[in-house]
């Protein structure tokens, strides 16, 4: 009997919890590694992201590999934007463009396994926390974005999903669906979301079309590896998209996990380059990102018990407060003021919030 079936409760695949799913697959995990790694080996966890996937390190003699283990694409509990098939396809494309992504040694999409090159333990984030040179580290990351911009053509992106149709863009409504009721302690009215989305339409209508290119989708220091030559390797590109190119730079420089020193922030903006239109769209994409994430941390606390993510709330609120001062976001700032959205709130108890979330919240 397949391990996929053994992990389901009462044969209902919708009920699979990722942690329970992974815990029940020791045999399948071992069989996959055994088929592709010679000799004895050990497997130890490395990390797990916000999605239904995790990473493990495989040691065999003097060699090491990274095992990506994911809830397979065909199961309903696979996280949106984290398809294993997309990871493999995009990895191969980026490798062909000279971007340092982990080499794929073996894959089984049906079971949810990929055996990858081990690029080490030092992420850009870890190097920053250990007191590494901020300018050099952020420069290495920014140079990857420049390389992505300059080497991936519109023809390369013709089969990619579009940002405008993506769950990421739709996720900008999470500030309304999750954060607003969490702070008001009241269920949203039927028309609240429409007014918020109209404000975003007004923002976009006042701008020229954005520059379109490759979007990694989760370009932050924890997904970037510091390589021995001082350059940057790239991990975990989710379901990459074609969309406004400022998105990834905004994710890098206004990441929820750390503050970027102002001089470094300005230097990276200058290093990447861009006209006034680029800078306007940078603010738009950064604020859409924060509107998604501020609701997402509430959502994860309420639905998955991940209260630890609430520690990022003050920084996200600060990003939003500062961003709304930009004249390009005046329609959104006016909507926030009219609706009295509290961007200083501190009381976020998941159990207290749950009754105020609408059933149609995204």
């Amino acid at each position: 009997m397949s391990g996929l079936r053994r992990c389901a409760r009462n044969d209902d695949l919708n009920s699979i919890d990722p942690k329970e799913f992974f815990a029940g697959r020791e045999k399948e995990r071992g069989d996959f590694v055994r088929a592709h790694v010679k000799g004895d080996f050990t497997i130890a966890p490395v990390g797990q992201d916000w999605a239904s996937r995790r990473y493990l390190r495989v040691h065999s003699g003097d060699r090491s590999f990274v095992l990506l283990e994911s809830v397979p694409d065909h199961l309903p509990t696979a996280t949106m934007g984290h398809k294993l098939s997309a990871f493999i396809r995009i990895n191969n494309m980026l490798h062909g463009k000279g971007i340092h992504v982990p080499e794929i040694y073996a894959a089984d999409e049906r079971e949810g396994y990929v055996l990858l090159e081990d690029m080490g333990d030092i992420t850009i984030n870890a190097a920053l926390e250990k007191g590494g040179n901020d300018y050099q580290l952020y420069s290495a990351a920014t140079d990857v974005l420049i390389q992505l911009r300059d080497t991936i053509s519109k023809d390369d992106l013709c089969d990619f999903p579009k940002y405008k149709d993506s769950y990421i863009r739709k996720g900008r409504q999470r500030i309304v669906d999750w954060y607003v009721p969490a702070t008001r302690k009241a269920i949203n009215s039927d028309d609240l979301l429409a007014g918020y989305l109209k404000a975003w339409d007004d923002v976009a209508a006042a701008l020229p079309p954005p520059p379109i290119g490759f979007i990694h989708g989760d370009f932050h220091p924890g997904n970037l590896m510091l390589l021995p030559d001082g350059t940057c390797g790239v991990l975990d590109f989710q379901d990459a998209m074609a969309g406004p190119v400022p998105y990834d730079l905004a994710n890098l420089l206004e990441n929820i996990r750390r503050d970027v020193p102002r001089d470094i922030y300005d230097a990276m903006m200058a290093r990447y380059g861009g006209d006034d239109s680029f800078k306007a769209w940078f603010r738009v994409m950064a604020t859409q990102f924060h509107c998604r994430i501020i609701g997402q941390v509430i959502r994860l606390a309420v639905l998955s018990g991940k209260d630890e993510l609430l520690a990022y709330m003050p920084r996200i609120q600060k990003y939003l407060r500062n961003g709304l001062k930009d004249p390009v976001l005046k329609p959104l700032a006016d909507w926030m003021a009219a609706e009295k959205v509290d961007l200083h709130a501190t009381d976020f108890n998941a159990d207290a919030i749950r009754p105020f979330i609408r059933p149609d919240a995204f």
Side-chain angles (χ1 to χ4, degrees):
M1 179 180 289
S2 167
L4 299 181
R5 178 60 60 189
R6 279 202 304 273
C7 285
R9 295 177 177 173
N10 300 322
D11 293 336
D12 177 11
L13 292 176
N14 284 287
S15 68
I16 297 175
D17 175 83
K19 291 182 180 179
E20 181 181 335
F21 177 81
F22 294 141
R25 290 178 55 76
E26 183 176 357
K27 179 181 185 303
E28 289 76 14
R29 188 181 309 122
D31 287 347
F32 173 80
V33 174
R34 196 169 294 109
H36 301 288
V37 174
K38 295 180 180 179
D40 295 334
F41 59 84
T42 60
I43 304 176
V46 175
Q48 181 166 343
D49 66 17
W50 289 20
S52 48
R53 65 169 57 158
R54 66 174 185 166
Y55 298 89
L56 306 101
R57 180 163 280 117
V58 178
H59 283 285
S60 178
D62 59 356
R63 296 199 65 188
S64 65
F65 311 86
V66 168
L67 177 64
L68 166 57
E69 182 174 39
S70 176
V71 175
D73 295 353
H74 65 278
L75 296 190
T77 48
T79 304
M80 287 184 295
H82 290 69
K83 288 186 177 180
L84 203 57
S85 56
F87 176 92
I88 294 168
R89 175 174 63 90
I90 295 163
N91 189 294
N92 291 336
M93 186 200 77
L94 294 178
H95 186 271
K97 296 294 182 180
I99 307 296
H100 197 132
V101 293
E103 183 176 351
I104 294 176
Y105 300 123
D108 185 338
E109 290 184 37
R110 177 72 188 178
E111 293 292 325
Y113 296 113
V114 184
L115 191 66
L116 299 165
E117 171 193 359
D118 187 351
M119 292 200 291
D121 289 315
I122 306 177
T123 64
I124 296 292
N125 188 63
L128 288 165
E129 290 182 346
K130 291 179 180 178
N133 185 294
D134 282 23
Y135 182 84
Q136 292 178 0
L137 293 168
Y138 277 103
S139 292
T142 302
D143 286 348
V144 172
L145 292 179
I146 294 170
Q147 188 178 1
L148 290 169
R149 179 194 65 194
D150 294 346
T151 61
I152 298 178
S153 69
K154 290 184 179 179
D155 289 342
D156 293 322
L157 297 172
C158 61
D159 293 329
F160 274 60
K162 303 296 190 293
Y163 173 81
K164 66 182 179 65
D165 303 322
S166 69
Y167 80 98
I168 289 180
R169 182 173 183 266
K170 182 177 174 62
R172 64 186 176 164
Q173 76 183 58
R174 283 186 169 159
I175 190 172
V176 176
D177 288 350
W178 296 88
Y179 182 83
V180 170
T183 55
R184 288 181 174 177
K185 303 296 189 293
I187 299 173
N188 288 344
S189 64
D190 290 344
D191 61 350
L192 187 66
L193 180 61
Y196 167 79
L197 295 177
K198 172 64 165 54
W200 275 118
D201 290 343
D202 291 344
V203 168
L207 295 174
I212 299 297
F214 176 88
I215 297 179
H216 173 284
D218 203 17
F219 198 88
H220 66 81
N223 280 339
L224 306 173
M225 303 301 300
L226 180 61
L227 303 177
D229 63 359
T231 61
C232 181
V234 183
L235 299 175
D236 206 19
F237 11 85
Q238 324 287 336
D239 269 0
M241 299 165 288
V245 291
Y247 182 90
D248 285 337
L249 186 62
N251 197 337
L252 176 67
L253 298 182
E254 295 192 7
N255 187 258
I256 71 170
R257 296 166 180 82
R258 65 169 45 250
D259 293 318
V260 178
R262 189 70 223 186
D263 60 331
I264 302 297
Y265 187 112
D266 292 340
M268 295 308 109
M269 291 291 292
R271 190 181 188 93
Y272 188 91
D275 57 15
D276 289 344
S277 175
F278 176 90
K279 293 173 183 176
W281 277 101
F282 176 94
R283 177 46 48 212
V284 169
M285 301 310 294
T287 302
Q288 287 194 4
F289 170 70
H290 301 317
C291 286
R292 175 169 65 91
I293 295 300
I294 202 169
Q296 189 159 316
V297 297
I298 300 290
R299 181 178 182 272
L300 289 168
V302 171
L303 297 184
S304 304
K306 294 184 177 181
D307 294 340
E308 66 275 13
L309 300 175
L310 293 170
Y312 300 128
M313 186 63 75
R315 183 175 289 116
I316 307 169
Q317 292 170 323
K318 180 188 67 175
Y319 284 144
L320 280 168
R321 292 195 304 269
N322 290 341
L324 289 170
K325 297 174 185 176
D326 193 313
V328 75
L329 292 179
K330 186 177 185 303
L332 182 65
D334 289 346
W335 183 89
M336 294 276 192
E339 294 296 338
K340 297 180 173 59
V341 177
D342 183 0
L343 293 176
H344 292 87
T346 59
D347 181 16
F348 298 103
N349 179 282
D351 290 335
I353 292 167
R354 191 172 290 111
F356 304 115
I357 303 301
R358 289 174 61 106
D360 59 354
F362 179 66

